[in-house]
Amino acid sequence: MAEVAHSVCLTHNFLIAMPAMSDPNFSRSLTYICEHNEQGALGISINRPMNMDLATLFGRINISLEASSDATLGATPVYYGGPVQTDRGFVLHRPTGHWQSTLAIRENIGLTSTRDILQEIGAHGTPSEILVTLGYAGWSAGQLEWELSQNAWLNVSADPQIIFDLPPEERLAAAMHLLGVDFANLSDVAGHA
């Protein structure tokens, strides 16, 4: 793999997998980049709900879910965040708040991987804007830049409304719309005129 200079920061960007993406972990995925620096990148896939909801997850980790009497919180899907540490939970949330271990992505968006945020969600339903995943996507130094140079991904500045306000099946198309592109019109092979 050729070394590609780190010249752009993709933190708070969406990565849209190109149709030719052969890795099943990322096929038709929309990934939110939480951190990107000279050491590499960390992201969370935001459009791949698992066959699990918060009530099931909380039951498995012995956290009581008392916050929602109408069961909507318990029915919230848990997402496949990526192929790294799939046995570990991550919470993408707004606002950032004060937790034991939070990566502040933007002034109002954080990624937390400690149990205290799940306990707060279970007890009080806050923060209310959340996306809970098992696993994350990770890239070593220069790897993401190389993959972008190979046309594996499109990237666009992220819109938090796509993450927190849209159903998962609409997120990929909405991110494509930010670029002015329809996913159905993308070619499997990038060409050059």
Side-chain angles (χ1 to χ4, degrees):
M1 174 171 27
E3 191 66 33
V4 178
H6 181 79
S7 59
V8 64
C9 177
L10 296 175
T11 299
H12 190 64
N13 269 243
F14 288 137
L15 287 185
I16 300 162
M18 291 294 285
M21 175 70 73
S22 59
D23 184 338
N25 290 304
F26 296 108
S27 177
R28 298 191 59 83
S29 73
L30 179 62
T31 302
Y32 177 67
I33 299 298
C34 303
E35 183 174 46
H36 182 221
N37 56 38
E38 59 279 349
Q39 281 88 43
L42 179 147
I44 298 290
S45 183
I46 63 165
N47 69 329
R48 302 184 74 183
M50 300 173 68
N51 190 19
M52 180 188 303
D53 58 21
L54 281 186
T56 303
L57 176 65
F58 279 37
R60 288 183 183 172
I61 59 175
N62 297 316
I63 293 178
S64 105
L65 189 57
E66 305 162 1
S68 181
S69 59
D70 61 5
T72 56
L73 183 61
T76 302
V78 174
Y79 291 80
Y80 172 77
V84 183
Q85 292 188 349
T86 55
D87 58 340
R88 187 166 175 206
F90 297 85
V91 182
L92 190 62
H93 55 89
R94 260 198 324 191
T96 307
H98 301 285
W99 311 103
Q100 289 175 11
S101 177
T102 298
L103 170 65
I105 301 163
R106 281 284 194 253
E107 63 280 350
N108 65 343
I109 300 175
L111 181 69
T112 301
S113 59
T114 48
R115 188 176 175 90
D116 59 337
I117 193 169
L118 296 174
Q119 291 168 327
E120 179 70 15
I121 292 166
H124 303 289
T126 56
S128 60
E129 293 185 292
I130 59 170
L131 190 139
V132 178
T133 75
L134 291 178
Y136 69 91
W139 293 265
S140 59
Q143 182 182 1
L144 181 54
E145 294 85 347
W146 183 83
E147 289 180 12
L148 284 163
S149 77
Q150 300 302 303
N151 297 313
W153 303 97
L154 292 175
N155 69 287
V156 63
S157 184
D159 179 346
Q161 289 185 309
I162 292 174
I163 301 168
F164 298 110
D165 298 341
L166 291 181
E169 64 275 6
E170 295 177 16
R171 293 176 185 155
L172 180 61
M176 294 293 294
H177 184 73
L178 293 175
L179 284 171
V181 177
D182 183 347
F183 195 81
N185 293 336
L186 285 180
S187 168
D188 282 355
V189 180
H192 301 279

